[in-house]
Amino acid sequence: MKRLHVHVGVNDLDQSIGFYSTLFDAEPTIVKADYAKWMLDDPRVNFAISSGQHATKGIEHLGMQVESQDELAEIYGRLKAADRPILEEGATTCCYAKSEKSWIADPQGVVWEAFFTSGEATVYGDSPALSAISDNAGEASCCVPVLPAAKVGCCG
């Protein structure tokens, strides 16, 4: 069964943990010095927040988390059918987890990841240069694209 993933950058992790714990009526599943994650079933979402050097503020990226390699292959097929550039990261450590993932950006440049998590990690991790798939994504550290000012223009 698939789960929507949302990652938000915050200024004050403790204050935000308090807010989201109240909003979700649940404590985080994982809490680190710079990161917290809720694995919610209602709604079915992997909601993560981070602060400090890894995070821009606001929505950083969205994703689809799957529970098996078969589901990952299904989602990857959808990415290919979307006819957009795909960044295949493969096996990686990111957000204190060991995962296999690929990245894509929608026509507006919103970055999405498709991933299967196979275990926990003791470090935050690294990320590829997501600027390869989106003008909105710049240099990044683990699954957190740095978003420059929006490009405004018309007709080329």
Side-chain angles (χ1 to χ4, degrees):
M1 180 177 288
K2 296 157 201 71
R3 183 183 301 263
L4 182 67
H5 169 58
V6 178
H7 193 123
V8 175
V10 300
N11 288 320
D12 185 317
L13 191 71
D14 291 333
Q15 182 182 41
S16 295
I17 288 172
F19 172 81
Y20 287 114
S21 293
T22 300
L23 179 66
F24 299 143
D25 193 26
E27 292 301 312
T29 307
I30 296 174
V31 177
K32 302 290 185 180
D34 57 352
Y35 177 84
K37 176 172 70 174
W38 290 258
M39 294 293 282
L40 304 169
D41 289 322
D42 185 19
R44 190 160 170 76
V45 63
N46 166 342
F47 186 89
I49 60 175
S50 59
S51 64
Q53 67 177 344
H54 302 293
T56 57
K57 305 308 174 239
I59 299 286
E60 294 172 339
H61 66 274
L62 302 168
M64 291 294 295
Q65 181 178 8
V66 300
E67 295 181 352
S68 70
Q69 290 288 343
D70 289 342
E71 284 184 342
L72 187 61
E74 174 191 341
I75 296 295
Y76 185 72
R78 293 181 196 173
L79 295 181
K80 288 171 58 173
D83 198 30
R84 307 275 308 156
I86 298 170
L87 189 130
E88 298 178 40
E89 186 172 5
T92 188
T93 297
C94 181
C95 299
Y96 299 100
K98 295 178 183 178
S99 300
E100 182 177 336
K101 61 177 68 183
S102 295
W103 299 86
I104 195 167
D106 75 7
Q108 288 68 237
V110 175
V111 176
W112 283 79
E113 66 177 320
F115 65 102
F116 169 68
T117 298
S118 58
E120 295 181 10
T122 58
V123 295
Y124 196 84
D126 295 314
S127 183
L130 297 176
S131 58
I133 59 169
S134 173
D135 289 340
N136 290 346
E139 292 181 27
S141 63
C142 179
C143 67
V144 182
V146 176
L147 302 177
K151 293 183 179 181
V152 179
C154 174
C155 313

